């Protein structure tokens, strides 16, 4: 375990994005070269190809620091395939001029392309809280972030409409 900004968290839950080098260093020790890494006024947009994935051509991640969220989507290989939807994960984001550090708070929201959102990873989250891997403050932040996001997405009926309402737009 590593000490990180006042809390104990396993290293596999901390990712570092080297913005200038367009690399993502996963807590597991893997480094991924990014195809795109660009700063937006709302956060950081990352994309990398997934050549070994038979279903998806790429992974797209948006780091949204004002919302405390990481949005993950996968682009399907086939133009005719349905998109999988979005995964919104509660994260703590620390950044400086060169890098963005995300600490996964182990609770998220899965939002299918059509259908109701659902909270995910609650068992891993509960275990991390009971084992002291997340502080009570981090646990509270994760729960509040996910529930607040759930309500907002529900009110806007769709992730895209919610993002637009929040001023978050994809740039082609």
């Amino acid at each position: 375990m590593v000490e990180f900004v006042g809390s104990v968290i396993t290293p596999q839950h901390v990712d570092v994005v080297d913005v200038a080098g367009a690399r993502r260093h996963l807590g597991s020790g893997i480094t991924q070269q990014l195809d795109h890494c660009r700063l937006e006024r709302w956060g950081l947009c990352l994309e990398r190809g997934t050549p070994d994935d038979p279903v998806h051509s790429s992974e797209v991640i948006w780091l949204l620091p004002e919302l405390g969220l990481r949005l993950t989507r996968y682009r399907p290989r086939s133009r005719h395939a349905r998109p999988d939807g979005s995964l919104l994960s509660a994260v703590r984001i620390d950044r400086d001029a060169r890098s963005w550090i995300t600490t996964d708070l182990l609770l998220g929201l899965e939002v299918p392309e059509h259908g109701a959102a659902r909270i995910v990873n609650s068992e891993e989250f509960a275990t991390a809280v009971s084992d002291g891997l997340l502080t009570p403050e981090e646990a509270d932040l994760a729960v509040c972030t996910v529930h607040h996001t759930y309500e907002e997405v529900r009110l806007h009926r769709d992730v895209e409409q919610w993002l637009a309402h929040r001023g978050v737009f994809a740039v082609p």
Side-chain angles (χ1 to χ4, degrees), residues 17-34:
V17 177
D18 171 2
V19 177
R23 286 184 295 279
R24 182 177 174 209
H25 305 280
L26 304 178
S28 63
I30 295 172
T31 297
Q32 300 171 331
Q33 185 63 45
L34 301 169

Side-chain angles (χ1 to χ4, degrees), residues 4 12 15 20 45 49 65 74-75 80-81 87 99-100 107 117 123 129 132 136 160 167:
F4 184 74
Q12 61 265 33
D15 293 350
C45 182
Y74 293 91
R75 289 201 169 118
H80 306 292
L87 176 63
S99 57
W100 288 48
L107 195 61
E123 288 181 22
V129 171
E160 296 302 325

Side-chain angles (χ1 to χ4, degrees), residues 4-5 9 11 13-19 25 44 63 65 70 91-96 98-104:
F4 184 74
V5 189
I9 191 101
H13 297 296
V14 179
D15 293 350
V16 178
V17 177
D18 171 2
V19 177
H25 305 280
L44 186 64
L63 300 179
R70 176 182 56 227
V91 293
R92 187 178 63 235
I93 299 172
D94 299 295
R95 56 192 166 165
D96 59 33
R98 268 197 74 78
S99 57
W100 288 48
I101 300 167
T102 59
T103 303
D104 192 334

Side-chain angles (χ1 to χ4, degrees), residues 2-172:
V2 295
E3 188 72 27
F4 184 74
V5 189
S7 64
V8 178
I9 191 101
T10 59
Q12 61 265 33
H13 297 296
V14 179
D15 293 350
V16 178
V17 177
D18 171 2
V19 177
R23 286 184 295 279
R24 182 177 174 209
H25 305 280
L26 304 178
S28 63
I30 295 172
T31 297
Q32 300 171 331
Q33 185 63 45
L34 301 169
D35 299 327
H36 301 284
C37 180
R38 66 179 182 266
L39 289 167
E40 301 287 350
R41 66 175 179 70
W42 45 259
L44 186 64
C45 182
L46 316 171
E47 184 171 354
R48 70 173 190 88
T50 53
D52 296 332
D53 188 331
V55 179
H56 304 107
S57 64
S58 63
E59 174 186 43
V60 180
I61 296 172
W62 293 1
L63 300 179
L64 307 165
E66 288 183 21
L67 303 175
L69 293 168
R70 176 182 56 227
L71 182 147
T72 305
R73 292 182 171 154
Y74 293 91
R75 289 201 169 118
R77 274 195 196 285
S78 169
R79 292 185 337 201
H80 306 292
R82 284 187 144 169
D84 288 342
S86 303
L87 176 63
L88 295 156
S89 303
V91 293
R92 187 178 63 235
I93 299 172
D94 299 295
R95 56 192 166 165
D96 59 33
R98 268 197 74 78
S99 57
W100 288 48
I101 300 167
T102 59
T103 303
D104 192 334
L105 299 179
L106 307 177
L107 195 61
L109 190 62
E110 187 176 75
V111 186
E113 191 67 21
H114 301 288
R118 68 184 189 94
I119 294 173
V120 294
N121 303 328
S122 57
E123 288 181 22
E124 181 182 7
F125 173 77
T127 300
V129 171
S130 71
D131 290 350
L133 297 176
L134 291 174
T135 66
E137 294 80 15
E138 289 171 320
D140 187 51
L141 176 62
V143 169
C144 290
T145 298
V146 167
H147 282 278
H148 181 77
T149 303
Y150 175 85
E151 286 301 318
E152 284 193 359
V153 169
R154 187 183 61 77
L155 286 172
H156 289 91
R157 298 190 177 141
D158 164 287
V159 170
E160 296 302 325
Q161 289 180 33
W162 168 70
L163 288 169
H165 170 75
R166 290 305 222 139
V168 177
F169 299 96
V171 177

